[in-house]
């Protein structure tokens, strides 16, 4: 994803647009098939996935691709939880999921590719097939995604070739991975599977005189994908903002895409919004007028940094109002491919994160980290369902002169901004918003719309329409639903469906807003109203019915074989339009000609089927429903909710065991079997600031988690040391001379003064009383926050971690340096949890986090001698605490469980959290902001025993303790989702250390 808000260089855009117009006028505009591609342009291709200037086609049928970003590797619980997320997406109208794959977790050691467990591509595609959701595969090799090294494996930092170019060393590094990726995709290409596109690279830049080899690398990746079977679906590129990169020229893709994050990422000021960009359609015509306008990433939320405001603030920044205004602005620009990044964020478990983010990757997304549904999810459901019900929108084009000065061509209210679109069928769409997002109050308006009788100003028969601040609406005229016509409406359309011989139309508007709707094709039938009395209806002229009022609850107006359901928006958020399996359509098809049912009320409706010769409707969702026929032919039922919030174990009453996790500072500690850090040069562009030896941890195979460096020198003449230590934003380190604590240093986040601190320079003074005549040891424990991304293609992922430079004062020098990180480095033993799970603390290397570890040699906490995280340490150092607890969460429920800390901002301590061997949290008491750490089902045993390990590292000389720590349930839902019994594959201590 890009780290910049949406902005388009209008001078460059205008120049490109002039060239386009000149070419278009001379009649030679045509789509160019990229070199090596089979071609996917509709009418000139036999492929099942094709495209034209308006949209994508599947099997010659147009579709709006409403996609959401999900990263399966951020959900290591695997298929069951992926299925849950995919089902929730499909229920909200998403017909596609965009999936980054992660090279770094798949090849922890060069030449040893591993696509098992949560790394499986095949499992993702199979689950998507089962659910009936399309897939856009985005394998990289570079992905960005706020993940360590941007998805590159750690060992690539030692490759002398410049990454993201065609230099041989880099090409040879990624080739085996991309070849494997393509081979996984090959059997799942549509129509044989759900994959409809594959992205080559991400947010990439073309070659230039100062940066050669980029376009050539892009072409090599595309050639490798195609050579290994990706030939049936288009290759794409996600451009960092609409700039036309790889729309043509060397490395050109079949389908150009762009991304935008218009709100930016400053969650601390969530009510400050930039103005809406009105130039998206201009960019489309400038760059790819012969292709559909496709957003490969559009802001679905925001990431949050260490020391940030927390993801609830990020949600406010990108809330349902944002979704209303910004997403509908995309539709106004005729965007027919929209991918929301993120739709479900997940967790940066282990050491997945890069320095600008922490453990949670909630992202303020529509589906929150604990998989609960947000108000934004429901707003998106209204929009996506409407788009799928409106195939005319896919071919609608702008008409009229749009906005004129401060007013519009369609309304006399100067605060109303209107974009009008018209389809060849005669259906018209009016996307309206206020002229500024700084206008927070509501405004009354009328609007001129086109009908078969000519232009009409609506409303005609009563009150004016209302548009709230930071709200957008899509109004329609001459809109066909079944055999009837919606002449116009000042209420928005949710969906329509023909059920039996009745055409159902669902409309909604904010409570308190007046609506006016005219239906034609109803003959002389008199309207029959049921439900809320806030809506009235009467017969009009020429076989029409006129519906007016202010929605409150649900009103139903039946006119012959048309039934109009009118609801206030809050009520409409609980509506579901669920499509039924049919032999005449694929499971991916959400068009209105596919049979569907309307369901009102439940928390979630996952899917529906007809059984017993279509006489029995079976709904699968998150509440059980008993139903009976209503007087308008619908099924009406009451909800039964029998679950209670579970009683969870009290960790304060648990039996804790503790041990020192920093024996490295004790006299006589033997580091002879550690790696000797004896390199004197490095090929990376970041050189040491001083000292004879290169001490970067990555140089010696340690690419994630805490590292410990020990420098030996002789004698008592030394007076101090200067250390330059680099670890990423908000990193920290502590130093000891022999067993004497010297002090700690910490970084700050990217929004701090000067752009943040990721490197500190400190001088530590020695007291001769703390030195020995013989061997002395300087011990430096570093807590890095991940490897930098390589967004600009400048090899920033090679930025050092660990000691960047050193100088010993008072005479002499270090005789030897020893370095330790995660056990085995690149030869890590835990192939299931993968290369990024463990760090280099003593208890991690010992395997104390693994199931089955024996605490016989640890200290058992007692009332008289407590040894718990609540009592903590009394001096600087690192201590580990271990306990077990059992859960008995009932099957048929979805009750997310989290570990909750109470933060003490004045105390500098850091905690690593392990549950059943999986690292699922890094808590920073000083910086925060995260205090709640979801423990996903399958990683946490919901019906059995669990083993919890946490470390407490005090960076303060006075020690630290955890103010409070406990288990909490973040939701209680009765659910039909698959219940995970026990744990996913989680190797034990005896398997990995025995």
């Amino acid at each position: 994803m890009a780290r910049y808000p949406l902005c388009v260089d209008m001078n460059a855009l205008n120049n490109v647009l002039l060239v386009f117009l000149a070419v278009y006028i001379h009649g030679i505009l045509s789509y160019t098939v990229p070199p090596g591609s089979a071609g996917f342009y509709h009418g000139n291709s036999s492929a099942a996935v094709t495209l034209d200037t308006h949209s994508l086609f599947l099997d010659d049928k147009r579709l709006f691709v409403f996609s959401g970003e999900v990263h399966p590797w951020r959900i290591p619980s695997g298929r069951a939880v992926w299925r849950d997320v995919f089902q929730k997406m499909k229920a909200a109208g998403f017909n596609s999921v965009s999936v980054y794959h992660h090279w770094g977790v798949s090849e922890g050691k060069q030449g040893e590719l591993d696509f098992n467990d949560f790394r499986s591509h095949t499992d993702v595609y199979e689950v998507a097939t089962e659910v009936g959701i399309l897939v856009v595969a985005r394998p990289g090799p570079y992905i960005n995604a706020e993940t360590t090294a941007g998805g590159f494996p750690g060992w690539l930092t030692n490759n002398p070739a410049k990454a993201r170019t065609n230099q041989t060393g880099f090409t040879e590094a990624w080739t085996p991975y991309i070849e494997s990726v393509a081979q996984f995709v090959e059997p799942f290409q549509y129509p044989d599977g759900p994959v409809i596109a594959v992205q080559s690279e991400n947010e990439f830049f073309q070659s230039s005189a100062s940066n050669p080899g980029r376009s050539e690398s892009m072409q090599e990746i595309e050639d490798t994908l195609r050579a290994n079977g990706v030939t049936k679906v288009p290759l794409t590129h996600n451009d960092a903002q609409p700039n036309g990169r790889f729309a043509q020229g060397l490395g050109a893709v079949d389908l150009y895409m762009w991304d935008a994050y218009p709100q930016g990422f400053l969650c601390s000021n969530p009510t400050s919004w930039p103005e809406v960009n009105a130039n998206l359609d201009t960019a489309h015509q400038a760059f790819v007028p012969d292709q559909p306008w496709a957003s490969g990433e559009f802001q679905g939320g925001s990431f949050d940094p260490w020391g940030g405001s927390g993801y609830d603030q990020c949600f406010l920044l990108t809330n349902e109002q944002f979704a209303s205004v910004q997403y509908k602005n995309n539709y106004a620009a005729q965007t027919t491919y929209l991918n929301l990044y993120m739709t479900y964020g997940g967790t940066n478990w282990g050491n997945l994160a890069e320095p600008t983010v922490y453990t949670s990757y909630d992202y303020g997304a529509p589906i929150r980290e604990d998989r609960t549904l947000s108000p934004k999810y429901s707003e998106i459901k209204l929009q996506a369902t409407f788009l799928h019900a409106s195939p005319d929108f896919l071919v609608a084009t702008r008409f009229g002169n749009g906005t004129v000065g401060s007013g519009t061509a369609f309304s006399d209210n100067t605060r109303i901004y209107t974009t009008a679109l018209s389809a060849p069928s005669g259906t018209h769409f009016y996307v309206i918003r206020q002229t500024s997002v700084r206008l927070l109050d509501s405004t009354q308006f009328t609007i001129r719309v086109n009908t078969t009788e000519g232009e009409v100003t609506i409303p005609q028969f009563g009150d004016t329409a209302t548009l709230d601040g930071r709200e957008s609406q899509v109004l329609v005229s001459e809109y066909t639903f079944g055999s009837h016509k919606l002449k116009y409406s000042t209420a928005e359309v949710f969906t329509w469906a023909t059920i039996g011989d009745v055409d159902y139309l669902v409309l909604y508007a904010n409570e308190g807003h007046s609506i006016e709707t005219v239906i034609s094709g109803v003959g002389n039938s008199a309207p029959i109203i049921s439900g809320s009395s806030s809506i009235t209806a009467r017969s009009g002229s020429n076989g029409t019915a006129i519906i007016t009022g202010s929605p409150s609850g649900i009103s139903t107006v039946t006119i012959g074989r048309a039934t109009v359901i009118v609801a206030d928006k809050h009520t409409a958020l609980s509506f579901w339009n669920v499509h039924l399996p049919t032999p005449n359509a694929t499971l991916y098809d959400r068009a209105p000609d596919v049979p569907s049912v309307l369901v009102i009320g439940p928390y979630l409706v996952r899917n529906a089927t007809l059984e017993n010769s279509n006489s029995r409707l079976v709904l699968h969702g998150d509440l059980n429903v008993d139903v009976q026929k209503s007087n308008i032919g619908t099924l009406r039922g009451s909800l039964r909710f029998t679950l209670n919030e579970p009683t969870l174990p009290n960790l304060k009453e648990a039996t804790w065991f503790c041990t020192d996790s920093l024996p490295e500072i004790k006299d006589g500690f033997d580091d002879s079997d550690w790696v000797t850090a004896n390199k004197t040069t490095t090929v990376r562009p970041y050189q040491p600031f001083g000292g004879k030896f290169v001490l970067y941890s990555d140089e010696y195979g340690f690419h994630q988690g805490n590292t410990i460096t020990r420098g030996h020198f002789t004698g008592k003449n030394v007076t101090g040391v200067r250390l330059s230590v680099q670890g990423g934003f908000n990193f920290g380190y502590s130093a000891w001379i022999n067993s004497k604590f010297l002090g700690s240093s910490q970084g700050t986040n990217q929004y701090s003064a000067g752009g943040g601190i990721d490197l500190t320079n400190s001088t530590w003074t020695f007291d001769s009383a703390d030195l020995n005549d013989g061997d002395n040891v300087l011990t430096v424990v570093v807590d890095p926050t991940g490897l930098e991304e390589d967004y600009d293609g400048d090899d920033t992922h090679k930025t050092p971690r660990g000691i960047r430079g050193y100088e010993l004062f008072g005479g002499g020098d270090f005789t030897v340096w020893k370095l330790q990180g995660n056990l085995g480095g690149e030869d890590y033993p835990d192939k299931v949890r993968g290369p990024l799970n463990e760090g280099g603390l003593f208890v991690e290397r010992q395997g104390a986090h693994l199931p089955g570890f024996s605490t016989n040699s640890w200290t058992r906490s007692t009332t008289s001698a407590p040894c718990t995280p609540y009592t903590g340490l009394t001096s600087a150092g690192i201590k580990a605490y271990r306990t077990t607890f059992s859960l008995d969460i009932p099957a048929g429920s979805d009750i997310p469980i989290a570990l909750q800390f109470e933060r003490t901002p004045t105390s500098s301590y850091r905690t690593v959290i392990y549950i059943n061997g999986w690292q699922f949290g890094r808590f920073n008491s000083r910086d925060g902001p995260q205090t709640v750490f979801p423990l996903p089902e399958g990683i946490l045993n919901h019906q059995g025993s669990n083993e919890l390990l946490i470390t407490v590292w005090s960076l303060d000389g006075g020690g630290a303790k955890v103010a409070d720590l406990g288990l909490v349930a973040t939701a209680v839902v009765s659910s039909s989702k698959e219940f995970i019994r026990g744990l996913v594959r989680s190797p034990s201590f005896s398997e990995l250390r025995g």
Side-chain angles (χ1 to χ4, degrees), residues 634-754:
T634 63
L635 297 177
R636 191 176 284 167
S638 58
L639 304 179
R640 291 181 179 174
F641 189 82
T642 58
L643 282 176
N644 295 314
E645 186 165 342
T647 301
L648 300 176
N650 185 339
L651 296 183
K652 284 188 173 179
E653 297 175 356
T655 300
W656 288 92
F657 295 83
C658 72
T659 194
D660 177 30
S661 190
L662 193 60
E664 291 89 350
I665 63 172
K666 293 181 178 178
D667 292 341
F669 180 83
D670 184 5
D671 61 14
S672 60
D673 62 348
W674 286 24
V675 172
T676 301
N678 55 8
K679 292 186 178 183
T680 56
T681 61
T682 177
V683 297
R684 64 185 68 212
Y686 305 92
Q687 296 299 308
F689 294 152
K692 178 180 178 181
F693 297 108
V694 178
L695 301 180
Y696 310 164
S697 58
D698 289 281
E699 293 278 343
Y700 302 95
F702 303 115
H703 305 301
Q704 74 285 326
N706 297 295
T707 58
I708 304 177
T709 307
R710 287 165 52 89
H712 294 256
F713 64 90
T714 302
K716 304 183 68 170
N717 294 329
V718 175
T719 58
V721 65
R722 178 186 59 80
L723 291 176
S724 297
V725 183
Q726 191 162 19
F729 294 128
N730 297 87
F731 87 102
Y733 83 87
S734 296
W736 286 261
I737 181 65
N738 297 321
S739 59
K740 174 66 177 295
F741 177 60
L742 295 172
S744 300
S745 185
Q746 300 182 76
T748 59
N749 73 29
Q750 62 267 36
Y751 299 131
S752 302

Side-chain angles (χ1 to χ4, degrees), residues 651-652 656 867-874 879-881 899-905 907-913 923-925 930-931 933 948-954 959-966:
L651 296 183
K652 284 188 173 179
W656 288 92
C867 190
T868 74
Y870 309 104
T871 54
L873 301 83
T874 57
K879 211 161 192 176
Y881 304 90
L899 196 64
Q900 183 171 27
F901 286 77
E902 180 180 330
R903 189 174 153 220
T904 308
S907 179
S908 291
Y909 75 86
R910 297 172 179 229
T911 294
V912 179
I913 303 162
F923 173 63
N924 183 322
S925 183
Q930 186 174 3
T931 58
F933 295 82
L948 173 67
L949 172 84
I950 69 167
T951 62
V952 176
W953 169 5
S954 174
K961 63 181 179 179
V962 178
D964 199 8
L965 171 69

Side-chain angles (χ1 to χ4, degrees), residues 29-44:
L29 178 67
S30 62
Y31 176 82
T32 301
V33 177
S37 172
F40 296 93
Y41 211 77
H42 192 70
N44 295 321

Side-chain angles (χ1 to χ4, degrees), residues 713-719 767-774 776:
F713 64 90
T714 302
K716 304 183 68 170
N717 294 329
V718 175
T719 58
D767 187 327
S768 61
D770 296 319
L771 300 180
N772 303 316
D773 290 324
N776 295 279

Side-chain angles (χ1 to χ4, degrees), residues 45 141 211 324 331 455 500 531 555 616 642 654 794-795 958:
S45 172
N211 287 289
S324 174
Y331 314 147
E455 187 177 86
S555 301
R616 180 185 182 196
T642 58
D794 292 331
D795 271 356

